[in-house]
Amino acid sequence: MLLKDFLKEGVTRLETLYPTNEARNIMLMLCESRIGTKSYTHIVEPEYQIKDKSLDGLNADLDRLASGEPVQYVIGFADFCGLRFKVSPDVLIPRPETELLCREAIKIGSRIQRMRKAYGKSARPVRVLDLCTGSGCIAWTVALNIPGAEVIGVDISEKAVAVASNQDFALRLKETEGAEAPRFIVADVLADSHSYIDGDFDLILSNPPYIMESQKEQMRANVLNFEPSTALFVDDEDPLVFYRSIAALSYECLSSEGKGLTEINELLGLETAKVFSEAGFSKTEVVKDFYDKNRFVFYSK
Ligand SMILES: C[S@@+](CC[C@H](N)C(=O)[O-])C[C@H]1O[C@@H](n2cnc3c(N)ncnc32)[C@H](O)[C@@H]1O
């Protein structure tokens, strides 16, 4: 079958679920990951034939996509902050908004590290806690971009922690002098005590579940039917439950020069910031994402 015909057929099937441009991008991602074609191969080589031995697999993938399964689960990875993360239905697919949190974290962590280096070799490493780590996208991104940082990722889901621990960054670690793999721990952020707190952290990062059950109807079927609901939803009765725990534990262990960055529900910016100021943080800031929506609260002592 010609590549251009397979792409055309796929776009037609996926157009019932996605806008045309998105359907096209999904098909291009599928073909690039499975048969190594580029986004322009069907244009510059209109006679490009898909080999028979690849076609069955591609058709099976297309059926999964047409059932609404996100392309990242079908191909098994998602790109985030320039890194390729393995994903499975046990973890949330990393979102582009969360990249903003990582970039800010890298800026702040690197600054703290530079300041400490001025104290010489015995300076203590930058310590980072990533709560509700999922695929480990935040923890790994920070660990690989602040070489020398000590990063701990925590999630209640054993399966998520297995995905996070098995990310394949051995080569990146080897190439990045001083970089260390994060340590991943299964634990409940909502519990009363937190055995993973073993001293101060300079960055406390989190992207907890924050979507209210009542917001479900505005969400796309492919998110609702395929992504883990424990990663996404909180009760309408108590949508800030995670932030109260994160604020309390952060107050216990955020270093005096450190900063907390948490991703939030766009409808609850001021309410979420208040949770952190009531927990004792003197500086809290609601920060917007690139869609101009309230997306993060930054807090410090
Ligand atoms: C919104 S996802 C974020 C995943 C990842 N950090 C990211 O940004 O893509 C929330 C994560 O919180 C985890 N989680 C849910 N309840 C939890 C709890 N009580 N304690 C710790 N983690 C929890 C879920 O398993 C899920 O991996």
Side-chain angles (χ1 to χ4, degrees), residues 80 90-95 98-99 101-102 130-139 154-158 160-161 185-191 196 205-211 227-234 242 245 263:
F80 179 85
D90 296 317
V91 297
L92 189 88
I93 297 164
R95 302 293 203 266
T98 310
E99 293 199 8
L101 183 149
C102 287
D130 172 29
L131 300 168
C132 301
T133 195
S135 62
C137 58
I138 297 175
V154 176
D155 202 286
I156 198 168
S157 157
E158 280 182 30
V161 164
I185 294 169
V186 179
D188 183 353
V189 165
L190 300 179
Y196 47 89
L205 312 173
S206 53
N207 179 13
Y210 59 70
I211 301 171
E227 296 204 73
S229 61
T230 47
L232 291 166
F233 297 109
V234 283
F242 279 94
S245 283
E263 191 167 320

Side-chain angles (χ1 to χ4, degrees), residues 28 71 301:
L28 292 171
V71 64
K301 285 181 174 165

